[in-house]
Amino acid sequence: MSLININESELYPTESFGPAVEGTLIYNVQGQAEWEGAFITTNERLIMNVNMNGEAYRRVFDYKNIKDVYKDEHGLFIEFPEGMGKIALVHTKTGNEETFVEYVKKKLG
């Protein structure tokens, strides 16, 4: 299951793809913390695709609902307002983390 590839027909007419990254997402859900996942950017939103034990899960975020994005020695992090916390991406297997972070930071303005 490729999580980084979504069909262009799923985009809004005004949308275009930006950089994407795929690897292991660290986010605790029902006792499991590691998930195969991807973040895909467009000029209008951030899409998160996750393989949850064989089930595809997608969540879409407006850039205004993202507090910060950064990369350090532990991985790539997307930080959300109070209540949701952070989602980390580690063991990146597809995409360039630096390009992704730079793109999202520009969208956060």
Side-chain angles (χ1 to χ4, degrees):
M1 168 188 301
S2 175
L3 297 167
I4 205 164
N5 295 324
I6 62 172
N7 194 318
E8 202 166 308
S9 66
E10 296 180 64
L11 299 181
Y12 303 136
T14 57
E15 250 181 324
S16 58
F17 286 111
V21 289
E22 183 175 14
T24 302
L25 293 177
I26 306 296
Y27 191 76
N28 194 2
V29 177
Q30 298 177 354
Q32 184 172 338
E34 292 189 12
W35 308 91
E36 181 183 352
F39 290 119
I40 301 124
T41 62
T42 76
N43 58 315
E44 296 187 25
R45 57 194 173 143
L46 174 76
I47 301 164
M48 180 179 74
N49 281 340
V50 183
N51 176 354
M52 297 187 99
N53 302 320
E55 290 284 322
Y57 173 78
R58 176 173 291 170
R59 186 143 181 199
V60 178
F61 304 98
D62 189 304
Y63 289 112
K64 69 181 177 191
N65 295 326
I66 297 172
K67 188 174 175 183
D68 196 12
V69 60
Y70 58 93
K71 180 187 173 343
D72 67 19
E73 66 275 3
H74 302 291
L76 184 152
F77 295 87
I78 297 180
E79 190 174 336
F80 298 92
E82 298 283 329
M84 185 161 177
K86 295 181 198 176
I87 299 175
L89 181 100
V90 298
H91 310 300
T92 302
K93 63 181 187 178
T94 306
N96 182 291
E97 294 172 335
E98 288 81 10
T99 302
F100 177 87
V101 168
E102 183 179 307
Y103 183 90
V104 175
K105 278 199 177 284
K106 285 181 183 176
K107 293 296 180 184
L108 301 182

